[in-house]
Amino acid sequence: MYNLLTGSGVGPTVFYLAVAIFLGLLLGKIKIANISLGITWVLFVGILISALGVTLNHDMLHIIKEFGLILFVTAVGLQVGPGFFKSFKKGGLTMNLMALANVGLGMLLTVIISRASGESLTDMAGVYTGAITNTPGLSAAQQVVTDLGIKGAADRLAAGYAVAYPLAVVGMIMTCIILRPLCRIDLKNEPAVFETVSSDDTISSGHATLRQPLIPLFIIIALGIVLGSIPIPVGMEAPLKLGLAGGPLVAAIIGGFLGVKKGWFDTDFTDGKGVHMLREVGIALFLAGVGLGAGGAFVETVKVHYIWVLYGVIITMVPPIIVTLFGRLVLKINYYTLMGFIGGSHTDPPTLAFANNIAPEGCKLPNMGYATVYPLTMFLRIFTAQLLVLLAM
């Protein structure tokens, strides 16, 4: 029994994952002023458990975390796929231009903070990747400093990421909450578009793929992994990639769109309770894995570089507040869509989970906003993380 609680094998890892998810979901039901952080509590319970001295197998946690993220983005892609390209025509270009502005502001703030504070821009690149919750960006930046032979830089990048990441999750959710009074948004009167599917879009329940929905699901995941691993040369030290999150999301969007359009499977597959459950399980595993793996490092790094926490919060919150205020007050974009945009423009699944918790049941606007800007944002975040390191040379 003692080994179950203290070892680093499969048993202790699964045990603490289950505990973190259970307690996190339980705390997520608590509301203060009718506001709840929802499933994000799983992250903080994981950090607390790790900070108390629980040490688990790092490689195992990494696999669980990444697999959870893959399940989550695949489910999101399947849900929005059938209506994705239609929604892109209606406002996708505008939202992607907003995402571009959001990324540019974040990078500009990082450079300004570095020069004003005297902090190394390489260190701030790590804070930047944590503040935008972009692990692929961190990996890309670490690859650059490794290729350039800069000793210790990769560890400092990881330290900056670890300090900024946890509060970045809260910061983006707080941005969604702050946006409400700033724009005088009344959720009771906020339009929530519910998609309807015509009978022409469905096929009979006797179709083979309906009896075995896991077959197309795992084909989509496999193709997504391949797509995410394709290097995109950009004339820098390391090529860009969509990664384990971007690849499956793009594959799932295409699979969801073509699957319904071509009659490979009906919308019960792309929008059923099974896909919803897959999405929630995926994000829970991801958050628990991040928390359990980062707790100890988070506490130690904060003791030494506590000011980085403030820098991270600024980089996290200021750009999306500016951009979404413009989107709401000038462009009149729906609030539920803007919450999804905030999550997608920071490649942050917990924000999308929060938005879906706030939105009425059946409302797909957060998912649409997230998926519309996510692919371009992922590319830009990876590119800018590497660019910040190169600018520091």
Side-chain angles (χ1 to χ4, degrees):
M1 182 65 181
Y2 180 76
N3 289 335
L4 174 63
L5 301 178
T6 60
S8 59
V10 175
T13 302
V14 175
F15 173 80
Y16 284 111
L17 277 168
V19 170
I21 293 171
F22 168 72
L23 292 178
L25 293 177
L26 202 61
L27 290 170
K29 295 180 179 294
I30 299 174
K31 291 186 177 182
I32 300 176
N34 203 33
I35 294 173
S36 170
L37 294 181
I39 201 170
T40 309
W41 274 107
V42 174
L43 171 68
F44 297 110
V45 174
I47 289 176
L48 176 60
I49 292 173
S50 181
L52 289 174
V54 174
T55 303
L56 302 173
N57 186 289
H58 179 271
D59 292 335
M60 194 177 301
L61 279 178
H62 181 73
I63 292 172
I64 291 171
K65 180 185 70 175
E66 295 298 335
F67 185 61
L69 182 59
I70 289 169
L71 292 180
F72 176 81
V73 297
T74 300
V76 169
L78 287 172
Q79 287 182 315
V80 304
F84 175 76
F85 294 100
K86 184 178 180 181
S87 70
F88 194 89
K89 292 178 181 178
K90 292 182 177 180
L93 178 59
T94 298
M95 291 187 64
N96 274 284
L97 288 175
M98 287 172 56
L100 178 62
N102 188 60
V103 172
L105 283 173
M107 184 178 177
L108 178 62
L109 270 175
T110 304
V111 174
I112 291 174
I113 289 172
S114 173
R115 293 185 176 179
S117 65
E119 296 278 3
S120 163
L121 187 55
T122 301
D123 290 346
M124 286 300 96
V127 174
Y128 170 79
T129 58
I132 59 174
T133 66
N134 193 278
T135 307
L138 171 65
S139 300
Q142 287 178 318
Q143 185 61 53
V144 171
V145 296
T146 300
D147 291 343
L148 294 176
I150 306 174
K151 294 182 179 180
D155 291 338
R156 292 182 66 83
L157 282 166
Y161 173 90
V163 167
Y165 187 100
L167 287 185
V169 174
V170 179
M172 277 176 276
I173 291 176
M174 290 304 300
T175 300
C176 294
I177 295 172
I178 291 171
L179 188 62
R180 207 180 301 174
L182 287 179
C183 298
R184 299 180 180 179
I185 294 169
D186 183 359
L187 293 182
K188 294 181 180 179
N189 297 320
E190 187 71 9
V193 179
F194 296 83
E195 288 196 354
T196 57
V197 182
S198 66
S199 58
D200 294 336
D201 291 330
T202 61
I203 55 178
S204 67
S205 60
H207 197 284
T209 56
L210 293 180
R211 292 196 298 268
Q212 295 180 318
L214 290 180
I215 293 177
L217 173 65
F218 281 98
I219 289 175
I220 288 171
I221 290 176
L223 291 175
I225 298 299
V226 173
L227 181 63
S229 66
I230 297 175
I232 306 172
V234 289
M236 300 177 69
E237 293 289 342
L240 304 184
K241 297 178 182 179
L242 285 175
L244 293 177
L249 176 68
V250 173
I253 290 173
I254 297 173
F257 172 75
L258 292 178
V260 171
K261 186 177 181 63
K262 300 294 185 180
W264 298 337
F265 42 77
D266 73 5
T267 52
D268 286 341
F269 173 69
T270 62
D271 196 30
K273 293 182 179 179
V275 171
H276 177 79
M277 181 70 175
L278 184 71
R279 187 187 75 191
E280 297 304 305
V281 169
I283 189 61
L285 289 173
F286 173 74
L287 289 174
V290 171
L292 290 169
F298 173 74
V299 173
E300 291 301 318
T301 307
V302 167
K303 290 179 180 178
V304 179
H305 302 291
Y306 55 87
I307 193 65
W308 288 1
V309 176
L310 175 61
Y311 297 154
V313 170
I314 293 172
I315 296 169
T316 294
M317 295 186 66
V318 173
I321 287 176
I322 294 173
V323 173
T324 53
L325 279 175
F326 177 81
R328 178 67 179 188
L329 299 177
V330 179
L331 302 178
K332 309 299 181 184
I333 297 176
N334 184 280
Y335 175 63
Y336 300 124
T337 302
L338 283 176
M339 285 196 294
F341 165 84
I342 291 171
S345 63
H346 285 76
T347 61
D348 183 58
T351 305
L352 177 58
F354 173 81
N356 281 319
N357 184 55
I358 296 297
E361 184 177 355
C363 177
K364 295 183 180 179
L365 293 178
N367 286 344
M368 287 292 185
Y370 183 93
T372 298
V373 300
Y374 187 101
L376 175 64
T377 297
M378 177 64 75
F379 178 87
L380 291 174
R381 294 300 191 185
I382 294 172
F383 178 79
T384 52
Q386 296 175 82
L387 186 58
L388 284 170
V389 173
L390 294 174
L391 288 174
M393 298 299 102

